[in-house]
Amino acid sequence: VQLQASGGGLVQAGDSLRLSCAASGLPFRDYYMAWFRQPPGQEREFVATIARRSASGITSYADAVKGRFTISRDNAKNTVYLQMNSLKPEDTAVYYCAAGVPALSARSQMSAYRHWGQGTLVTVSS
């Protein structure tokens, strides 16, 4: 299984950025996909998740990004995206994509995701 995240970079506050995560080696349609992030000197935290095909792409977001970030998936391309708008300096972090089959109550928990990408750095300057 391989998850390849890309799209990070240096942007200014208020800008937008789209992250991509290409998956291979797993039945992509059958997996929940999620984004987590790890700010400098802090623990990794949940950002967003999107359900597998059978759950009609139901999404969930951390309160800190709700209304600004959008997670989506293209099952034909085995790719999950994170559209990030109105970026803030506090969004600076390494962003990781993850794949798993979590229980509904565990969708925001790192332990619920079995497969992880290598991370892509997003830096938002003020």
Side-chain angles (χ1 to χ4, degrees):
V1 176
Q2 197 167 26
L3 302 178
Q4 184 69 40
S6 62
L10 173 63
V11 297
Q12 293 186 332
D15 284 351
S16 297
L17 205 59
R18 188 177 81 155
L19 305 183
S20 301
C21 175
S24 60
L26 78 171
F28 183 77
R29 297 167 184 261
D30 294 336
Y31 276 74
Y32 279 70
M33 297 300 296
W35 289 95
F36 289 76
R37 66 185 182 186
Q38 187 164 12
Q42 299 182 40
E43 295 185 351
R44 198 171 300 188
E45 63 186 19
F46 170 74
V47 175
T49 188
I50 185 166
R52 53 190 172 181
R53 180 186 59 176
S54 61
S56 301
I58 294 173
T59 59
S60 178
Y61 297 91
D63 288 343
V65 307
K66 205 170 291 185
R68 299 188 298 123
F69 290 12
T70 302
I71 188 171
S72 62
R73 65 189 297 160
D74 185 337
N75 289 331
K77 296 182 178 180
N78 285 5
T79 300
V80 62
Y81 304 97
L82 185 68
Q83 178 66 43
M84 305 185 293
N85 298 330
S86 303
L87 282 162
K88 305 175 181 179
E90 51 264 44
D91 294 319
T92 294
V94 177
Y95 283 73
Y96 298 89
C97 59
V101 189
L104 280 179
S105 60
R107 288 177 297 171
S108 63
Q109 298 178 16
M110 286 178 54
S111 59
Y113 294 87
R114 181 176 181 182
H115 305 293
W116 290 82
Q118 84 290 359
T120 185
L121 176 62
V122 174
T123 304
V124 185
S125 64
S126 57

